[in-house]
Amino acid sequence: MAFDPKGKVVLITGSSRGIGRETAVLFAERGANIVLNGRDPARLAETVGRMHRFGNRVWSYPADVTDPEQCRAMIAAVLAHYGQLDVLVNNAGISMRGPFLELDPSVIDSVTRVNILGAAYPTRFALPALHESRGSVVFVSSLAGVRGFAGVSIYSAAKMALTGLAESLHAELHADGVHTGVLFLAFTENDPDKTIMGPDGAPMRITRKASTTQRQAAEAVYRMVERRTRKTYLTASGRYLVFMQRHFPRLTDAVIMRSKGSIHRARRQESSQ
Ligand SMILES: NC(=O)c1ccc[n+]([C@@H]2O[C@H](COP(=O)([O-])OP(=O)(O)OC[C@H]3O[C@@H](n4cnc5c(N)ncnc54)[C@H](OP(=O)(O)O)[C@@H]3O)[C@@H](O)[C@H]2O)c1
């Protein structure tokens, strides 16, 4: 049966800004009821305000997705508020740059926790409701989740873990009608104030030109839910990387070695946040 977003309940983690917020706007435009999430209540309130045209179809719940009890409480609150859950988009994530040798352990810890546990916990507690609604779980990954590049080691490891999680969930749940998908994004337009973690944990800005808009990323999430797609590689360069890696692995290695991480350059933020 075709996916009808009207009346569906969509929880998007990390949706107070960036790609998550744009995904929330897109689902709301198509008639869904939205649950926004992030840790900062003030930022969430601001995002709810920006989406006031959707009235009471937008609701927010502040929670840290790395905390299992907060995730359990968030899902319970969603069910108490809307009575159902149809789509979970595991979007909350944090990126880093720097040689692995220079990484402070706190960076390894944060990036692993947010990107892996921060997707596993909401999914774990949402599954009974998604089972009932025969709903969807989408994991927002990266091309670094397809291939390791210099300078993004632990982010790459964390995003690759999402593929394993999604594949296992598919094996466990598809017979019961729960859809599981992974979206592999290329560099995507950032909010102007977005920062990632430098090797010492200090905030850095990313300077690379984006190849995808937030709207295109949001459209891709929506299409995955609509068509119940298992894997989507956004952008031609993403699909090219997958093709090259499968058919010409040594050539792909050589090209990536030569880049020495130049495609993942970032610069330290002048004023700390
Ligand atoms: N932008 C890109 O180029 C790109 C490329 C490939 C993949 N991706 C992936 O796309 C997703 C979104 O990226 P983005 O660029 O839109 O990020 P962003 O602008 O930094 O937004 C991150 C969102 O996640 C929330 N968040 C962070 N840690 C959280 C936590 N522990 N618990 C709950 N919420 C948390 C943030 O709100 P609070 O800080 O208030 O919690 C914010 O709403 C991430 O998974 C990222 O890895 C992005």
Side-chain angles (χ1 to χ4, degrees), residues 85-88 90 123 126-139 166-181 224-225 228-230:
L85 177 63
D86 302 280
V87 177
L88 169 66
N90 285 301
T123 305
L127 273 186
L130 293 173
H131 197 272
E132 202 166 306
S133 61
R134 299 173 76 84
S136 281
V137 187
V138 175
F139 296 93
E167 285 176 353
S168 290
L169 288 177
H170 176 74
E172 290 180 14
L173 300 168
H174 83 282
D176 297 325
V178 179
H179 157 245
T180 313
M224 291 191 81
V225 172
R228 298 177 90 77
T229 316
R230 288 188 58 200

PDB file of all heavy atoms in Angstrom, residues 85-88 90 123 126-139 166-181 224-225 228-230:
ATOM      1  N   LEU A  85       3.459   5.673  16.616  1.00  0.00           N
ATOM      2  CA  LEU A  85       4.716   6.107  15.994  1.00  0.00           C
ATOM      3  C   LEU A  85       4.872   5.319  14.701  1.00  0.00           C
ATOM      4  O   LEU A  85       4.790   4.093  14.706  1.00  0.00           O
ATOM      5  CB  LEU A  85       5.911   5.857  16.933  1.00  0.00           C
ATOM      6  CG  LEU A  85       7.288   6.216  16.365  1.00  0.00           C
ATOM      7  CD1 LEU A  85       7.393   7.721  16.076  1.00  0.00           C
ATOM      8  CD2 LEU A  85       8.397   5.820  17.339  1.00  0.00           C
ATOM      9  N   ASP A  86       5.070   6.035  13.600  1.00  0.00           N
ATOM     10  CA  ASP A  86       5.140   5.377  12.294  1.00  0.00           C
ATOM     11  C   ASP A  86       6.534   5.403  11.665  1.00  0.00           C
ATOM     12  O   ASP A  86       6.873   4.511  10.893  1.00  0.00           O
ATOM     13  CB  ASP A  86       4.145   6.038  11.328  1.00  0.00           C
ATOM     14  CG  ASP A  86       2.734   5.970  11.858  1.00  0.00           C
ATOM     15  OD1 ASP A  86       2.104   4.910  11.717  1.00  0.00           O
ATOM     16  OD2 ASP A  86       2.271   6.965  12.471  1.00  0.00           O
ATOM     17  N   VAL A  87       7.276   6.461  11.946  1.00  0.00           N
ATOM     18  CA  VAL A  87       8.601   6.606  11.317  1.00  0.00           C
ATOM     19  C   VAL A  87       9.589   7.135  12.354  1.00  0.00           C
ATOM     20  O   VAL A  87       9.302   8.110  13.049  1.00  0.00           O
ATOM     21  CB  VAL A  87       8.561   7.591  10.122  1.00  0.00           C
ATOM     22  CG1 VAL A  87       9.954   7.780   9.525  1.00  0.00           C
ATOM     23  CG2 VAL A  87       7.570   7.139   9.057  1.00  0.00           C
ATOM     24  N   LEU A  88      10.745   6.478  12.445  1.00  0.00           N
ATOM     25  CA  LEU A  88      11.849   6.982  13.266  1.00  0.00           C
ATOM     26  C   LEU A  88      13.018   7.273  12.329  1.00  0.00           C
ATOM     27  O   LEU A  88      13.479   6.374  11.610  1.00  0.00           O
ATOM     28  CB  LEU A  88      12.281   5.935  14.303  1.00  0.00           C
ATOM     29  CG  LEU A  88      13.593   6.236  15.038  1.00  0.00           C
ATOM     30  CD1 LEU A  88      13.474   7.490  15.925  1.00  0.00           C
ATOM     31  CD2 LEU A  88      14.017   5.035  15.901  1.00  0.00           C
ATOM     32  N   ASN A  90      16.765   8.230  12.526  1.00  0.00           N
ATOM     33  CA  ASN A  90      17.930   8.369  13.399  1.00  0.00           C
ATOM     34  C   ASN A  90      18.934   9.283  12.706  1.00  0.00           C
ATOM     35  O   ASN A  90      19.804   8.833  11.953  1.00  0.00           O
ATOM     36  CB  ASN A  90      18.553   6.995  13.672  1.00  0.00           C
ATOM     37  CG  ASN A  90      17.738   6.190  14.646  1.00  0.00           C
ATOM     38  OD1 ASN A  90      17.516   6.613  15.785  1.00  0.00           O
ATOM     39  ND2 ASN A  90      17.259   5.026  14.214  1.00  0.00           N
ATOM     40  N   THR A 123      15.971   3.416  18.581  1.00  0.00           N
ATOM     41  CA  THR A 123      15.400   2.314  17.795  1.00  0.00           C
ATOM     42  C   THR A 123      14.897   1.209  18.713  1.00  0.00           C
ATOM     43  O   THR A 123      13.776   0.695  18.540  1.00  0.00           O
ATOM     44  CB  THR A 123      16.455   1.761  16.818  1.00  0.00           C
ATOM     45  OG1 THR A 123      16.951   2.840  16.031  1.00  0.00           O
ATOM     46  CG2 THR A 123      15.878   0.694  15.916  1.00  0.00           C
ATOM     47  N   ALA A 126      11.696   2.281  20.311  1.00  0.00           N
ATOM     48  CA  ALA A 126      10.621   2.589  19.352  1.00  0.00           C
ATOM     49  C   ALA A 126      10.066   1.333  18.675  1.00  0.00           C
ATOM     50  O   ALA A 126       8.951   1.350  18.141  1.00  0.00           O
ATOM     51  CB  ALA A 126      11.142   3.551  18.281  1.00  0.00           C
ATOM     52  N   LEU A 127      10.834   0.242  18.720  1.00  0.00           N
ATOM     53  CA  LEU A 127      10.446  -0.924  17.908  1.00  0.00           C
ATOM     54  C   LEU A 127       9.050  -1.488  18.186  1.00  0.00           C
ATOM     55  O   LEU A 127       8.325  -1.812  17.237  1.00  0.00           O
ATOM     56  CB  LEU A 127      11.493  -2.030  18.009  1.00  0.00           C
ATOM     57  CG  LEU A 127      12.634  -1.902  16.988  1.00  0.00           C
ATOM     58  CD1 LEU A 127      13.548  -3.125  17.079  1.00  0.00           C
ATOM     59  CD2 LEU A 127      12.111  -1.756  15.570  1.00  0.00           C
ATOM     60  N   PRO A 128       8.620  -1.613  19.448  1.00  0.00           N
ATOM     61  CA  PRO A 128       7.265  -2.152  19.635  1.00  0.00           C
ATOM     62  C   PRO A 128       6.202  -1.315  18.912  1.00  0.00           C
ATOM     63  O   PRO A 128       5.298  -1.872  18.279  1.00  0.00           O
ATOM     64  CB  PRO A 128       7.088  -2.108  21.161  1.00  0.00           C
ATOM     65  CG  PRO A 128       8.489  -2.189  21.702  1.00  0.00           C
ATOM     66  CD  PRO A 128       9.341  -1.442  20.719  1.00  0.00           C
ATOM     67  N   ALA A 129       6.335   0.002  18.994  1.00  0.00           N
ATOM     68  CA  ALA A 129       5.349   0.876  18.320  1.00  0.00           C
ATOM     69  C   ALA A 129       5.494   0.777  16.804  1.00  0.00           C
ATOM     70  O   ALA A 129       4.489   0.777  16.073  1.00  0.00           O
ATOM     71  CB  ALA A 129       5.540   2.321  18.778  1.00  0.00           C
ATOM     72  N   LEU A 130       6.723   0.690  16.306  1.00  0.00           N
ATOM     73  CA  LEU A 130       6.936   0.584  14.853  1.00  0.00           C
ATOM     74  C   LEU A 130       6.440  -0.769  14.339  1.00  0.00           C
ATOM     75  O   LEU A 130       5.969  -0.895  13.206  1.00  0.00           O
ATOM     76  CB  LEU A 130       8.418   0.771  14.521  1.00  0.00           C
ATOM     77  CG  LEU A 130       8.963   2.171  14.789  1.00  0.00           C
ATOM     78  CD1 LEU A 130      10.480   2.213  14.603  1.00  0.00           C
ATOM     79  CD2 LEU A 130       8.301   3.200  13.869  1.00  0.00           C
ATOM     80  N   HIS A 131       6.541  -1.767  15.185  1.00  0.00           N
ATOM     81  CA  HIS A 131       6.039  -3.094  14.860  1.00  0.00           C
ATOM     82  C   HIS A 131       4.519  -3.003  14.669  1.00  0.00           C
ATOM     83  O   HIS A 131       3.954  -3.522  13.698  1.00  0.00           O
ATOM     84  CB  HIS A 131       6.397  -4.021  16.022  1.00  0.00           C
ATOM     85  CG  HIS A 131       6.328  -5.457  15.690  1.00  0.00           C
ATOM     86  ND1 HIS A 131       5.176  -6.180  15.813  1.00  0.00           N
ATOM     87  CD2 HIS A 131       7.266  -6.317  15.240  1.00  0.00           C
ATOM     88  CE1 HIS A 131       5.403  -7.426  15.448  1.00  0.00           C
ATOM     89  NE2 HIS A 131       6.668  -7.535  15.098  1.00  0.00           N
ATOM     90  N   GLU A 132       3.888  -2.320  15.592  1.00  0.00           N
ATOM     91  CA  GLU A 132       2.428  -2.192  15.542  1.00  0.00           C
ATOM     92  C   GLU A 132       1.985  -1.405  14.307  1.00  0.00           C
ATOM     93  O   GLU A 132       0.981  -1.726  13.671  1.00  0.00           O
ATOM     94  CB  GLU A 132       1.962  -1.454  16.799  1.00  0.00           C
ATOM     95  CG  GLU A 132       0.517  -1.710  17.135  1.00  0.00           C
ATOM     96  CD  GLU A 132       0.218  -1.238  18.556  1.00  0.00           C
ATOM     97  OE1 GLU A 132       0.916  -1.658  19.497  1.00  0.00           O
ATOM     98  OE2 GLU A 132      -0.692  -0.431  18.679  1.00  0.00           O
ATOM     99  N   SER A 133       2.743  -0.350  13.960  1.00  0.00           N
ATOM    100  CA  SER A 133       2.344   0.489  12.822  1.00  0.00           C
ATOM    101  C   SER A 133       2.918  -0.027  11.501  1.00  0.00           C
ATOM    102  O   SER A 133       2.666   0.554  10.461  1.00  0.00           O
ATOM    103  CB  SER A 133       2.829   1.926  13.041  1.00  0.00           C
ATOM    104  OG  SER A 133       4.237   1.980  13.151  1.00  0.00           O
ATOM    105  N   ARG A 134       3.728  -1.103  11.573  1.00  0.00           N
ATOM    106  CA  ARG A 134       4.454  -1.605  10.390  1.00  0.00           C
ATOM    107  C   ARG A 134       5.203  -0.442   9.738  1.00  0.00           C
ATOM    108  O   ARG A 134       5.121  -0.193   8.534  1.00  0.00           O
ATOM    109  CB  ARG A 134       3.491  -2.292   9.414  1.00  0.00           C
ATOM    110  CG  ARG A 134       2.793  -3.497  10.048  1.00  0.00           C
ATOM    111  CD  ARG A 134       1.713  -4.081   9.159  1.00  0.00           C
ATOM    112  NE  ARG A 134       2.240  -4.873   8.048  1.00  0.00           N
ATOM    113  CZ  ARG A 134       2.590  -6.159   8.126  1.00  0.00           C
ATOM    114  NH1 ARG A 134       2.495  -6.793   9.273  1.00  0.00           N
ATOM    115  NH2 ARG A 134       3.037  -6.799   7.076  1.00  0.00           N
ATOM    116  N   GLY A 135       5.914   0.253  10.603  1.00  0.00           N
ATOM    117  CA  GLY A 135       6.535   1.512  10.206  1.00  0.00           C
ATOM    118  C   GLY A 135       7.948   1.379   9.664  1.00  0.00           C
ATOM    119  O   GLY A 135       8.362   0.304   9.208  1.00  0.00           O
ATOM    120  N   SER A 136       8.690   2.483   9.743  1.00  0.00           N
ATOM    121  CA  SER A 136      10.031   2.601   9.137  1.00  0.00           C
ATOM    122  C   SER A 136      11.055   3.130  10.133  1.00  0.00           C
ATOM    123  O   SER A 136      10.734   4.007  10.939  1.00  0.00           O
ATOM    124  CB  SER A 136      10.012   3.619   7.994  1.00  0.00           C
ATOM    125  OG  SER A 136       9.478   3.095   6.834  1.00  0.00           O
ATOM    126  N   VAL A 137      12.268   2.621  10.013  1.00  0.00           N
ATOM    127  CA  VAL A 137      13.428   3.206  10.702  1.00  0.00           C
ATOM    128  C   VAL A 137      14.437   3.575   9.630  1.00  0.00           C
ATOM    129  O   VAL A 137      14.816   2.719   8.817  1.00  0.00           O
ATOM    130  CB  VAL A 137      14.153   2.202  11.626  1.00  0.00           C
ATOM    131  CG1 VAL A 137      15.227   2.915  12.444  1.00  0.00           C
ATOM    132  CG2 VAL A 137      13.199   1.468  12.515  1.00  0.00           C
ATOM    133  N   VAL A 138      14.854   4.831   9.609  1.00  0.00           N
ATOM    134  CA  VAL A 138      15.892   5.256   8.654  1.00  0.00           C
ATOM    135  C   VAL A 138      17.099   5.752   9.444  1.00  0.00           C
ATOM    136  O   VAL A 138      16.958   6.552  10.371  1.00  0.00           O
ATOM    137  CB  VAL A 138      15.377   6.364   7.711  1.00  0.00           C
ATOM    138  CG1 VAL A 138      16.506   6.881   6.816  1.00  0.00           C
ATOM    139  CG2 VAL A 138      14.226   5.849   6.858  1.00  0.00           C
ATOM    140  N   PHE A 139      18.276   5.274   9.083  1.00  0.00           N
ATOM    141  CA  PHE A 139      19.530   5.716   9.697  1.00  0.00           C
ATOM    142  C   PHE A 139      20.212   6.680   8.729  1.00  0.00           C
ATOM    143  O   PHE A 139      20.398   6.341   7.553  1.00  0.00           O
ATOM    144  CB  PHE A 139      20.456   4.518   9.943  1.00  0.00           C
ATOM    145  CG  PHE A 139      19.899   3.525  10.926  1.00  0.00           C
ATOM    146  CD1 PHE A 139      19.149   2.429  10.492  1.00  0.00           C
ATOM    147  CD2 PHE A 139      20.102   3.688  12.290  1.00  0.00           C
ATOM    148  CE1 PHE A 139      18.632   1.511  11.394  1.00  0.00           C
ATOM    149  CE2 PHE A 139      19.592   2.774  13.208  1.00  0.00           C
ATOM    150  CZ  PHE A 139      18.856   1.695  12.753  1.00  0.00           C
ATOM    151  N   ALA A 166      21.469  -1.863  10.764  1.00  0.00           N
ATOM    152  CA  ALA A 166      20.312  -1.850   9.854  1.00  0.00           C
ATOM    153  C   ALA A 166      20.122  -3.211   9.184  1.00  0.00           C
ATOM    154  O   ALA A 166      18.997  -3.687   9.024  1.00  0.00           O
ATOM    155  CB  ALA A 166      20.484  -0.748   8.805  1.00  0.00           C
ATOM    156  N   GLU A 167      21.229  -3.854   8.794  1.00  0.00           N
ATOM    157  CA  GLU A 167      21.111  -5.163   8.128  1.00  0.00           C
ATOM    158  C   GLU A 167      20.554  -6.210   9.099  1.00  0.00           C
ATOM    159  O   GLU A 167      19.709  -7.030   8.735  1.00  0.00           O
ATOM    160  CB  GLU A 167      22.474  -5.595   7.579  1.00  0.00           C
ATOM    161  CG  GLU A 167      22.839  -4.810   6.322  1.00  0.00           C
ATOM    162  CD  GLU A 167      24.226  -5.132   5.781  1.00  0.00           C
ATOM    163  OE1 GLU A 167      24.981  -5.871   6.454  1.00  0.00           O
ATOM    164  OE2 GLU A 167      24.554  -4.609   4.702  1.00  0.00           O
ATOM    165  N   SER A 168      21.020  -6.175  10.344  1.00  0.00           N
ATOM    166  CA  SER A 168      20.501  -7.130  11.338  1.00  0.00           C
ATOM    167  C   SER A 168      19.019  -6.878  11.601  1.00  0.00           C
ATOM    168  O   SER A 168      18.223  -7.820  11.683  1.00  0.00           O
ATOM    169  CB  SER A 168      21.271  -7.010  12.653  1.00  0.00           C
ATOM    170  OG  SER A 168      22.577  -7.494  12.482  1.00  0.00           O
ATOM    171  N   LEU A 169      18.654  -5.609  11.726  1.00  0.00           N
ATOM    172  CA  LEU A 169      17.235  -5.290  11.971  1.00  0.00           C
ATOM    173  C   LEU A 169      16.374  -5.753  10.803  1.00  0.00           C
ATOM    174  O   LEU A 169      15.272  -6.262  11.002  1.00  0.00           O
ATOM    175  CB  LEU A 169      17.066  -3.781  12.181  1.00  0.00           C
ATOM    176  CG  LEU A 169      17.594  -3.228  13.503  1.00  0.00           C
ATOM    177  CD1 LEU A 169      17.440  -1.712  13.542  1.00  0.00           C
ATOM    178  CD2 LEU A 169      16.858  -3.853  14.681  1.00  0.00           C
ATOM    179  N   HIS A 170      16.885  -5.563   9.590  1.00  0.00           N
ATOM    180  CA  HIS A 170      16.122  -6.004   8.423  1.00  0.00           C
ATOM    181  C   HIS A 170      15.877  -7.514   8.502  1.00  0.00           C
ATOM    182  O   HIS A 170      14.754  -7.981   8.273  1.00  0.00           O
ATOM    183  CB  HIS A 170      16.867  -5.639   7.135  1.00  0.00           C
ATOM    184  CG  HIS A 170      16.185  -6.139   5.909  1.00  0.00           C
ATOM    185  ND1 HIS A 170      15.030  -5.572   5.409  1.00  0.00           N
ATOM    186  CD2 HIS A 170      16.477  -7.191   5.093  1.00  0.00           C
ATOM    187  CE1 HIS A 170      14.648  -6.246   4.343  1.00  0.00           C
ATOM    188  NE2 HIS A 170      15.501  -7.233   4.126  1.00  0.00           N
ATOM    189  N   ALA A 171      16.945  -8.253   8.855  1.00  0.00           N
ATOM    190  CA  ALA A 171      16.805  -9.707   8.944  1.00  0.00           C
ATOM    191  C   ALA A 171      15.808 -10.099  10.034  1.00  0.00           C
ATOM    192  O   ALA A 171      15.056 -11.065   9.900  1.00  0.00           O
ATOM    193  CB  ALA A 171      18.169 -10.336   9.224  1.00  0.00           C
ATOM    194  N   GLU A 172      15.785  -9.335  11.123  1.00  0.00           N
ATOM    195  CA  GLU A 172      14.898  -9.671  12.240  1.00  0.00           C
ATOM    196  C   GLU A 172      13.455  -9.231  12.009  1.00  0.00           C
ATOM    197  O   GLU A 172      12.526  -9.834  12.529  1.00  0.00           O
ATOM    198  CB  GLU A 172      15.400  -9.004  13.531  1.00  0.00           C
ATOM    199  CG  GLU A 172      16.695  -9.609  14.062  1.00  0.00           C
ATOM    200  CD  GLU A 172      17.174  -8.913  15.345  1.00  0.00           C
ATOM    201  OE1 GLU A 172      16.393  -8.161  15.949  1.00  0.00           O
ATOM    202  OE2 GLU A 172      18.337  -9.124  15.714  1.00  0.00           O
ATOM    203  N   LEU A 173      13.278  -8.134  11.259  1.00  0.00           N
ATOM    204  CA  LEU A 173      11.973  -7.457  11.301  1.00  0.00           C
ATOM    205  C   LEU A 173      11.197  -7.400   9.990  1.00  0.00           C
ATOM    206  O   LEU A 173      10.007  -7.081  10.011  1.00  0.00           O
ATOM    207  CB  LEU A 173      12.172  -6.004  11.774  1.00  0.00           C
ATOM    208  CG  LEU A 173      12.782  -5.829  13.160  1.00  0.00           C
ATOM    209  CD1 LEU A 173      13.191  -4.380  13.367  1.00  0.00           C
ATOM    210  CD2 LEU A 173      11.801  -6.265  14.223  1.00  0.00           C
ATOM    211  N   HIS A 174      11.863  -7.672   8.862  1.00  0.00           N
ATOM    212  CA  HIS A 174      11.140  -7.397   7.610  1.00  0.00           C
ATOM    213  C   HIS A 174       9.908  -8.283   7.456  1.00  0.00           C
ATOM    214  O   HIS A 174       8.899  -7.855   6.913  1.00  0.00           O
ATOM    215  CB  HIS A 174      12.065  -7.464   6.393  1.00  0.00           C
ATOM    216  CG  HIS A 174      12.296  -8.844   5.876  1.00  0.00           C
ATOM    217  ND1 HIS A 174      13.162  -9.729   6.473  1.00  0.00           N
ATOM    218  CD2 HIS A 174      11.753  -9.500   4.820  1.00  0.00           C
ATOM    219  CE1 HIS A 174      13.154 -10.864   5.808  1.00  0.00           C
ATOM    220  NE2 HIS A 174      12.302 -10.755   4.807  1.00  0.00           N
ATOM    221  N   ALA A 175       9.965  -9.508   7.994  1.00  0.00           N
ATOM    222  CA  ALA A 175       8.802 -10.395   7.876  1.00  0.00           C
ATOM    223  C   ALA A 175       7.613  -9.832   8.649  1.00  0.00           C
ATOM    224  O   ALA A 175       6.456 -10.137   8.339  1.00  0.00           O
ATOM    225  CB  ALA A 175       9.156 -11.786   8.392  1.00  0.00           C
ATOM    226  N   ASP A 176       7.895  -8.999   9.640  1.00  0.00           N
ATOM    227  CA  ASP A 176       6.804  -8.382  10.420  1.00  0.00           C
ATOM    228  C   ASP A 176       6.371  -7.036   9.843  1.00  0.00           C
ATOM    229  O   ASP A 176       5.568  -6.326  10.455  1.00  0.00           O
ATOM    230  CB  ASP A 176       7.264  -8.158  11.874  1.00  0.00           C
ATOM    231  CG  ASP A 176       7.579  -9.472  12.558  1.00  0.00           C
ATOM    232  OD1 ASP A 176       6.888 -10.463  12.265  1.00  0.00           O
ATOM    233  OD2 ASP A 176       8.527  -9.506  13.350  1.00  0.00           O
ATOM    234  N   GLY A 177       6.971  -6.662   8.724  1.00  0.00           N
ATOM    235  CA  GLY A 177       6.507  -5.447   8.050  1.00  0.00           C
ATOM    236  C   GLY A 177       7.197  -4.172   8.490  1.00  0.00           C
ATOM    237  O   GLY A 177       6.755  -3.079   8.125  1.00  0.00           O
ATOM    238  N   VAL A 178       8.294  -4.284   9.266  1.00  0.00           N
ATOM    239  CA  VAL A 178       9.020  -3.058   9.652  1.00  0.00           C
ATOM    240  C   VAL A 178      10.127  -2.812   8.624  1.00  0.00           C
ATOM    241  O   VAL A 178      10.944  -3.695   8.350  1.00  0.00           O
ATOM    242  CB  VAL A 178       9.629  -3.169  11.065  1.00  0.00           C
ATOM    243  CG1 VAL A 178      10.393  -1.895  11.422  1.00  0.00           C
ATOM    244  CG2 VAL A 178       8.545  -3.441  12.094  1.00  0.00           C
ATOM    245  N   HIS A 179      10.128  -1.618   8.077  1.00  0.00           N
ATOM    246  CA  HIS A 179      11.137  -1.240   7.076  1.00  0.00           C
ATOM    247  C   HIS A 179      12.357  -0.621   7.751  1.00  0.00           C
ATOM    248  O   HIS A 179      12.220   0.174   8.685  1.00  0.00           O
ATOM    249  CB  HIS A 179      10.511  -0.243   6.083  1.00  0.00           C
ATOM    250  CG  HIS A 179      11.519   0.610   5.379  1.00  0.00           C
ATOM    251  ND1 HIS A 179      11.587   1.982   5.540  1.00  0.00           N
ATOM    252  CD2 HIS A 179      12.520   0.282   4.518  1.00  0.00           C
ATOM    253  CE1 HIS A 179      12.565   2.460   4.800  1.00  0.00           C
ATOM    254  NE2 HIS A 179      13.149   1.460   4.172  1.00  0.00           N
ATOM    255  N   THR A 180      13.549  -0.996   7.280  1.00  0.00           N
ATOM    256  CA  THR A 180      14.800  -0.436   7.800  1.00  0.00           C
ATOM    257  C   THR A 180      15.632   0.064   6.624  1.00  0.00           C
ATOM    258  O   THR A 180      15.851  -0.689   5.669  1.00  0.00           O
ATOM    259  CB  THR A 180      15.630  -1.531   8.510  1.00  0.00           C
ATOM    260  OG1 THR A 180      14.773  -2.257   9.377  1.00  0.00           O
ATOM    261  CG2 THR A 180      16.757  -0.931   9.311  1.00  0.00           C
ATOM    262  N   GLY A 181      16.081   1.311   6.684  1.00  0.00           N
ATOM    263  CA  GLY A 181      16.879   1.854   5.576  1.00  0.00           C
ATOM    264  C   GLY A 181      18.067   2.664   6.063  1.00  0.00           C
ATOM    265  O   GLY A 181      18.063   3.190   7.177  1.00  0.00           O
ATOM    266  N   MET A 224      12.877   7.220   0.852  1.00  0.00           N
ATOM    267  CA  MET A 224      13.196   5.907   1.432  1.00  0.00           C
ATOM    268  C   MET A 224      12.011   5.359   2.218  1.00  0.00           C
ATOM    269  O   MET A 224      11.719   4.162   2.178  1.00  0.00           O
ATOM    270  CB  MET A 224      14.417   6.016   2.350  1.00  0.00           C
ATOM    271  CG  MET A 224      15.694   6.285   1.596  1.00  0.00           C
ATOM    272  SD  MET A 224      17.142   6.094   2.643  1.00  0.00           S
ATOM    273  CE  MET A 224      17.347   4.305   2.624  1.00  0.00           C
ATOM    274  N   VAL A 225      11.335   6.249   2.943  1.00  0.00           N
ATOM    275  CA  VAL A 225      10.173   5.815   3.728  1.00  0.00           C
ATOM    276  C   VAL A 225       9.030   5.452   2.777  1.00  0.00           C
ATOM    277  O   VAL A 225       8.372   4.415   2.929  1.00  0.00           O
ATOM    278  CB  VAL A 225       9.748   6.939   4.706  1.00  0.00           C
ATOM    279  CG1 VAL A 225       8.433   6.594   5.392  1.00  0.00           C
ATOM    280  CG2 VAL A 225      10.848   7.177   5.738  1.00  0.00           C
ATOM    281  N   ARG A 228      10.117   2.364   0.862  1.00  0.00           N
ATOM    282  CA  ARG A 228      10.689   1.350   1.754  1.00  0.00           C
ATOM    283  C   ARG A 228      12.016   0.820   1.194  1.00  0.00           C
ATOM    284  O   ARG A 228      12.280  -0.392   1.153  1.00  0.00           O
ATOM    285  CB  ARG A 228       9.667   0.232   2.023  1.00  0.00           C
ATOM    286  CG  ARG A 228       8.430   0.787   2.722  1.00  0.00           C
ATOM    287  CD  ARG A 228       7.351  -0.224   2.954  1.00  0.00           C
ATOM    288  NE  ARG A 228       7.443  -0.935   4.208  1.00  0.00           N
ATOM    289  CZ  ARG A 228       7.090  -0.457   5.404  1.00  0.00           C
ATOM    290  NH1 ARG A 228       6.626   0.772   5.512  1.00  0.00           N
ATOM    291  NH2 ARG A 228       7.190  -1.189   6.487  1.00  0.00           N
ATOM    292  N   THR A 229      12.863   1.774   0.802  1.00  0.00           N
ATOM    293  CA  THR A 229      14.177   1.459   0.240  1.00  0.00           C
ATOM    294  C   THR A 229      15.145   1.082   1.357  1.00  0.00           C
ATOM    295  O   THR A 229      15.115   1.677   2.430  1.00  0.00           O
ATOM    296  CB  THR A 229      14.747   2.716  -0.467  1.00  0.00           C
ATOM    297  OG1 THR A 229      13.710   3.302  -1.235  1.00  0.00           O
ATOM    298  CG2 THR A 229      15.933   2.392  -1.326  1.00  0.00           C
ATOM    299  N   ARG A 230      16.025   0.129   1.094  1.00  0.00           N
ATOM    300  CA  ARG A 230      16.979  -0.302   2.132  1.00  0.00           C
ATOM    301  C   ARG A 230      18.254   0.519   2.155  1.00  0.00           C
ATOM    302  O   ARG A 230      18.811   0.779   3.205  1.00  0.00           O
ATOM    303  CB  ARG A 230      17.313  -1.785   1.946  1.00  0.00           C
ATOM    304  CG  ARG A 230      16.123  -2.659   2.336  1.00  0.00           C
ATOM    305  CD  ARG A 230      16.496  -4.097   2.331  1.00  0.00           C
ATOM    306  NE  ARG A 230      17.603  -4.358   3.239  1.00  0.00           N
ATOM    307  CZ  ARG A 230      18.383  -5.416   3.182  1.00  0.00           C
ATOM    308  NH1 ARG A 230      18.198  -6.311   2.255  1.00  0.00           N
ATOM    309  NH2 ARG A 230      19.365  -5.578   4.044  1.00  0.00           N
TER     310      ARG A 230
END
